[in-house]
Amino acid sequence: MKHLTLLVAFVVSAFATAQQTEYVDFKRLTADLRFNAETSSVYGNLAYEFKIQKPVDAIYIDAINMRFEEVLLNNTAVEWRNDGEKLWLLKAFKPQQTYRLTFTYQATPKKAMYFVGWQDEAPNQIWTQGQGKYTSNWLPSIDDVNDKIEFDLTVLSHKENQAIANGKLLQKTTVNDSMAKWHYDMKQPMSSYLVALVIGKYQKKTEFSKSGIPLEMYYYPKDSNNVEPTYRYTKQMFDFMEEDIGVAYPWQNYKQIPVHDFLYAGMENTSATIFSDAFVVDSTAFNDRNYVNVNAHELAHQWFGDLVTAKSGEHHWLQEGFATYYALLAEKAVFGKQHYYWQLYQYYHELVAQDRDGLATSLLNPKSSSLTFYKRGCWVLHALREKIGDKAFRTAVTQYLQKHKFKNVETQDFISEAENVSGQNLSDFVALWIEGERFPEAEAKTLLMQSAFIQEYEMVDCEAVTSKCEYYLNSGVSDQAKAKIVRQQPHLVTSETFKNGLKVRQAIAESLSKIPQALKQDYQSLLDDMSYKTKEAALYHLWVNFPEDRATFFNKTRTAFGDATKNVRLLWLVLALSTPDFEPDNDVMYYNELVNYTAPVYNYELRISAFQYLEALNACHSTCKANLTQAMTHHNWRMVKFAKALNERLNK
């Protein structure tokens, strides 16, 4: 051990001034994986191919809390050590030589691989989330994003499941009556944090892009009717990005897989986006919260983040800013120019508010907020395109990607391309928009005011000037402007106002809390809208304003369950339980249904809403508390944080 300690200390000292990538280049990993869901463990037979760049006496693979056996180098025993964080190979490695390392391993990961549902009622799934430096918790790999490797995975699972990973499925082979192996191949290298794996019960729909790329859209068998609204505009946005970016999609296919209680909205694993199944929606829920922006954002990452990857956190905006911007461009192609400027307008106000709260940071600060990386990064690209022109911008992006594909980049790599193409010196632009701590509020506002739509929206302000608001409400201004008036001056709503579009009617449902008798029939029509948010708000306000007709409202919305959070149904149950003369014989059934929604089978957002309602009713009893105890050990940190806080309140 003394030899190991001294040697490792020497290597760590050497790596302090140079990354391991200067000494060794890991080329390819082939992994044969199997799992034990009861113990949440993964087992594997791995083979790494790597080339030595400079003489070195030890190299490592990141491996958190793993056990290793049969460690061989070129089929020969090699001295190795496992310190709980890394697998060290101890040998006088010579430059320009290629080696093959093989070993078996076992891990019971605490993060990055999640065994969901095997201990409760949730769907039985295994899925990964490796962004950051987490893949090494379940797969011996390289945490450094600057070492790009070709990952080829073979996965053993039950035949009734689908096993989905990066790359192309070469074949599925039968092992025995119950088990099968899925063999996946990647043709190009990627950073380890982008390795992905999902196992579960899925079906899929496949379309093809204009360029012939298979677009594989996975779904739970029960959700066959929701495939179209969930994946709406996928092909259109894919084709748009290939054309607008000017670089062909770099991978063999593109897969999208929903999973239960994912940690984020989505994750852009190379060729295999994993996203929250809360975005699986019907056509009504589509109008409230849909997958379109997340879909476009993760797709854009296939170029910005996966094809070219930031060298360090200092340049993280090159991934998130570009993905946010190109998602917005894709939505512009779908929904139009007003939508594009409306989103920029929202981002502008969020960034201004962040600065005014004293949270301003440079875009190059690795500790900046997600708001800065994503939305300020998006604004930088919008401003740059306006400065150098559309043609120069698109050419710069294309050349930037082509020059650095499958490599790692810094901010200056992109700026240099923009300067070369445009012939402009961008140092002042960089100092203001990228390096400066404060968001350029005045400059951004000037750019926003190029939109007549935003000019109109700004003009219509019933908190500042009220004399023309009634006129504006009945004029041809945008629905966004009319919704703004309704929220500021709900007493101006008339029967005529109800004849406007979905956004205006939703604003009425949410803002007109005191409903005049003369508008009762118009307001009641909101219960028929293609929006669960509208139905939810309208049901509540009708219930409050017209107690004599509560049974009518209940019967009208009895079968309206809502989006993934069942927002309409939860409210319906709570109001029914709070109405003594409405079906009192069913109170126990309605209460049990409400409690049931706190169970692990449901997504965590729905569970949180159900817990909140039960707390408000002072009715979180035995089953509710048992589900709350389970929630405190949940894999999703948002669920855990909520559950612990609620448990503390209930036990005061």
Side-chain angles (χ1 to χ4, degrees), residues 460 462 469 472-473 481-490 492:
V460 177
C462 295
C469 289
Y472 287 139
L473 195 56
K482 289 183 178 179
K484 179 181 179 181
I485 296 168
V486 168
R487 291 189 170 94
Q488 291 177 340
Q489 303 287 342
L492 294 178

Side-chain angles (χ1 to χ4, degrees), residues 242-364:
E242 276 206 307
E243 181 178 352
D244 198 78
I245 292 170
V247 175
Y249 177 78
W251 317 107
Q252 297 135 291
N253 53 23
Y254 185 53
K255 300 174 283 290
Q256 296 179 85
I257 315 104
V259 300
H260 186 70
D261 284 343
F262 194 51
L263 305 184
Y264 307 102
M267 175 61 200
E268 69 277 10
N269 311 291
T270 307
S271 80
T273 285
I274 298 175
F275 68 98
S276 167
D277 62 11
F279 286 104
V280 176
V281 296
D282 62 23
S283 291
T284 300
F286 179 91
N287 294 320
D288 296 327
R289 184 179 76 164
N290 55 59
Y291 178 54
V292 175
N293 183 264
V294 176
N295 185 343
H297 183 98
E298 308 308 338
L299 173 59
H301 270 308
Q302 299 298 318
W303 288 269
F304 306 102
D306 296 7
L307 178 61
V308 294
T309 308
K311 288 183 179 179
S312 64
E314 181 182 357
H315 308 286
H316 187 53
W317 81 276
L318 291 173
Q319 295 173 190
E320 299 303 347
F322 269 89
T324 304
Y325 177 65
Y326 273 91
L328 195 49
L329 289 180
E331 286 190 298
K332 179 183 175 183
V334 171
F335 300 120
K337 196 171 183 178
Q338 284 191 3
H339 175 87
Y340 174 81
Y341 273 100
W342 179 247
Q343 293 304 116
L344 277 180
Y345 186 72
Q346 305 306 311
Y347 298 171
Y348 164 86
H349 280 286
E350 291 176 57
L351 289 162
V352 169
Q354 177 177 251
D355 282 9
R356 291 176 181 172
D357 288 340
L359 301 175
T361 55
S362 165
L363 197 54
L364 299 182

Side-chain angles (χ1 to χ4, degrees), residues 23-192:
Y23 293 87
V24 57
D25 180 14
F26 286 88
K27 297 289 190 180
R28 184 168 183 250
L29 168 68
T30 55
D32 196 334
L33 305 172
R34 63 192 188 280
F35 308 90
N36 185 329
E38 292 184 3
T39 61
S40 300
S41 298
V42 54
Y43 305 82
N45 300 319
L46 270 59
Y48 264 109
E49 297 171 14
F50 62 90
K51 184 177 182 179
I52 297 298
Q53 314 277 59
K54 296 179 180 180
V56 66
D57 292 326
I59 65 171
Y60 66 81
I61 295 172
D62 293 297
I64 309 300
N65 297 325
M66 296 182 181
R67 295 209 301 265
F68 296 93
E69 294 180 356
E70 302 175 35
V71 181
L72 301 175
L73 191 64
N74 293 341
N75 295 319
T76 303
V78 61
E79 187 176 1
W80 61 276
R81 295 292 186 275
N82 175 11
D83 65 6
E85 294 184 354
K86 291 174 169 48
L87 170 64
W88 289 91
L89 303 180
L90 310 177
K91 177 181 171 61
F93 290 99
K94 297 180 180 180
Q96 305 309 313
Q97 291 195 16
T98 299
Y99 295 87
R100 177 179 171 85
L101 169 69
T102 58
F103 57 85
T104 64
Y105 83 100
Q106 175 190 349
T108 304
K110 302 300 182 185
K111 61 175 69 172
M113 173 171 278
Y114 300 91
F115 293 76
V116 176
W118 303 93
Q119 310 300 328
D120 53 50
E121 306 95 329
N124 289 354
Q125 297 175 348
I126 301 172
W127 48 261
T128 60
Q129 169 54 24
Q131 187 167 32
K133 297 182 177 180
Y134 299 138
T135 295
S136 57
N137 283 267
W138 69 272
L139 181 71
S141 50
I142 305 298
D143 288 341
D144 187 349
V145 299
N146 294 282
D147 198 344
K148 294 197 169 190
I149 303 167
E150 179 191 334
F151 291 89
D152 297 331
L153 305 186
T154 296
V155 182
L156 176 69
S157 182
H158 288 278
K159 283 183 179 180
E160 62 186 16
N161 291 326
Q162 289 287 329
I164 308 157
N166 313 86
K168 181 179 180 180
L169 178 63
L170 295 182
Q171 63 177 335
K172 176 183 175 182
T173 57
T174 298
V175 175
N176 54 41
D177 290 342
S178 61
M179 306 296 286
K181 278 189 175 184
W182 285 258
H183 305 263
Y184 283 92
D185 171 68
M186 281 292 294
K187 291 297 185 187
Q188 300 290 353
M190 62 182 177
S191 300
S192 296

Side-chain angles (χ1 to χ4, degrees), residues 206-216 235 238-239 242 248-255:
T206 302
E207 295 184 2
F208 291 87
S209 70
K210 281 184 180 179
S211 58
I213 297 296
L215 309 178
E216 301 176 12
K235 181 182 181 302
F238 189 101
D239 291 338
E242 276 206 307
Y249 177 78
W251 317 107
Q252 297 135 291
N253 53 23
Y254 185 53
K255 300 174 283 290

Side-chain angles (χ1 to χ4, degrees), residues 199-234:
I199 295 175
K201 291 182 173 62
Y202 292 97
Q203 294 177 358
K204 74 174 178 180
K205 176 183 178 181
T206 302
E207 295 184 2
F208 291 87
S209 70
K210 281 184 180 179
S211 58
I213 297 296
L215 309 178
E216 301 176 12
M217 295 163 277
Y218 286 83
Y219 60 93
Y220 304 149
K222 68 180 180 64
D223 288 325
S224 58
N225 292 332
N226 294 334
V227 174
E228 189 283 323
T230 297
Y231 290 109
R232 190 173 292 172
Y233 307 122
T234 293

Side-chain angles (χ1 to χ4, degrees), residues 348-637:
Y348 164 86
H349 280 286
E350 291 176 57
L351 289 162
V352 169
Q354 177 177 251
D355 282 9
R356 291 176 181 172
D357 288 340
L359 301 175
T361 55
S362 165
L363 197 54
L364 299 182
N365 184 338
K367 296 183 179 179
S368 288
S369 68
S370 293
L371 176 60
T372 297
F373 288 133
Y374 286 64
K375 297 179 180 179
R376 181 169 173 177
C378 172
W379 254 105
V380 165
L381 296 171
H382 173 75
L384 180 62
R385 195 168 196 154
E386 291 293 318
K387 180 173 177 58
I388 68 174
D390 183 74
K391 183 178 180 181
F393 180 88
R394 291 180 65 180
T395 302
V397 169
T398 300
Q399 292 184 180
Y400 160 73
L401 290 173
Q402 289 176 336
K403 184 176 181 179
H404 301 286
K405 60 183 179 182
F406 310 114
K407 298 177 183 177
N408 296 78
V409 288
E410 296 180 348
T411 297
Q412 189 56 43
D413 294 320
F414 173 64
I415 296 301
S416 293
E417 294 302 324
E419 289 183 326
N420 292 338
V421 171
S422 68
Q424 297 185 33
N425 184 324
L426 296 175
S427 57
D428 289 344
F429 179 90
V430 170
L432 177 67
W433 283 93
I434 297 176
E435 296 175 345
E437 289 195 348
R438 294 191 65 81
F439 174 64
E441 179 179 350
E443 290 79 3
K445 188 66 174 286
T446 299
L447 291 172
L448 279 173
M449 288 302 123
Q450 294 178 4
S451 164
F453 164 67
I454 296 298
Q455 290 178 31
E456 176 190 86
Y457 185 82
E458 285 275 294
M459 174 188 68
V460 177
D461 189 346
C462 295
E463 290 179 347
V465 180
T466 61
S467 59
K468 292 187 177 182
C469 289
E470 189 171 355
Y471 163 75
Y472 287 139
L473 195 56
N474 294 292
S475 70
V477 299
S478 68
D479 278 1
Q480 286 89 344
K482 289 183 178 179
K484 179 181 179 181
I485 296 168
V486 168
R487 291 189 170 94
Q488 291 177 340
Q489 303 287 342
H491 65 277
L492 294 178
V493 171
T494 65
S495 290
E496 195 67 20
T497 317
F498 283 86
K499 296 178 182 178
N500 286 285
L502 201 67
K503 294 180 186 297
V504 181
R505 288 172 62 86
Q506 188 173 98
I508 295 171
E510 294 172 344
S511 305
L512 190 61
S513 57
K514 188 171 183 180
I515 308 168
Q517 183 68 37
L519 296 179
K520 178 183 177 183
Q521 186 173 352
D522 291 309
Y523 196 98
Q524 209 168 325
S525 72
L526 297 171
L527 295 176
D528 296 318
D529 275 21
M530 289 284 287
S531 163
Y532 292 124
K533 286 184 178 178
T534 302
K535 292 176 188 288
E536 179 186 13
L539 173 60
Y540 176 74
H541 287 137
L542 285 166
W543 183 85
V544 170
N545 281 266
F546 306 106
E548 68 279 7
D549 293 324
R550 286 174 176 172
T552 300
F553 308 141
F554 284 137
N555 289 326
K556 178 76 173 175
T557 54
R558 188 181 293 272
T559 59
F561 276 66
D563 58 19
T565 67
K566 300 190 187 297
N567 58 317
V568 179
R569 184 59 177 176
L570 290 184
L571 176 65
W572 193 99
L573 292 170
V574 171
L575 295 182
L577 290 168
S578 302
T579 308
D581 58 348
F582 178 71
E583 302 181 1
D585 292 345
N586 290 331
D587 278 355
V588 172
M589 180 177 68
Y590 293 150
Y591 171 76
N592 287 338
E593 181 181 348
L594 181 60
V595 171
N596 182 54
Y597 290 132
T598 66
V601 68
Y602 298 104
N603 74 72
Y604 79 90
E605 294 175 89
L606 167 55
R607 296 178 69 191
I608 286 174
S609 294
F611 279 125
Q612 288 173 327
Y613 275 128
L614 287 163
E615 180 187 18
L617 293 173
N618 195 27
C620 185
H621 303 312
S622 57
T623 302
C624 171
K625 288 182 177 179
N627 288 335
L628 185 63
T629 298
Q630 185 277 340
M632 288 191 287
T633 62
H634 199 274
H635 65 269
N636 189 297
W637 64 270

